[in-house]
Amino acid sequence: ELSASELNRESRQATVLTLSQPLSSDAGFKEAGLKDYELSGTTLKIYGMQSTNKYLTVLAQANIEVMNMSKEADDLETFFMSMIGGK
């Protein structure tokens, strides 16, 4: 049995930021102690229930604008299929 917070964590909810340009490095996030994110080109996915404030501060210091922000999560069917070894 999973609690709501465990389900959120396991279903990989993410805040997705579209950046104005790619970051040259994710060192600023690491220096700020941030983890559980994925950076690919101009897309930054912040997983779980983390606050975006620290990420936004690092981006502002690098003069990177956030063009779009959205939420994303695997649907329950995809999540449960992955738990039982399906597609």
Side-chain angles (χ1 to χ4, degrees), residues 5-87:
S5 62
E6 290 170 321
L7 180 59
N8 287 338
R9 185 173 53 251
E10 293 298 324
S11 66
R12 303 298 287 171
Q13 287 191 353
T15 301
V16 181
L17 305 179
T18 303
L19 311 177
S20 60
Q21 60 190 15
L23 276 173
S24 57
S25 146
D26 65 348
F29 296 139
K30 291 178 182 175
E31 289 171 7
L34 301 170
K35 53 186 175 182
D36 207 15
Y37 63 88
E38 181 181 316
L39 181 61
S40 176
T42 59
T43 302
L44 172 63
K45 290 186 178 184
I46 304 167
Y47 291 105
M49 303 301 284
Q50 300 180 69
S51 170
T52 58
N53 291 341
K54 288 184 180 179
Y55 289 93
L56 295 174
T57 299
V58 171
L59 292 170
Q61 290 169 345
N63 293 319
I64 305 288
E65 293 180 48
V66 175
M67 307 305 288
N68 189 37
M69 183 184 297
S70 62
K71 291 282 190 182
E72 155 183 305
D74 288 341
D75 60 31
L76 288 176
E77 181 179 3
T78 303
F79 170 70
F80 285 115
M81 289 300 288
S82 70
M83 296 261 315
I84 61 171
K87 277 189 164 182

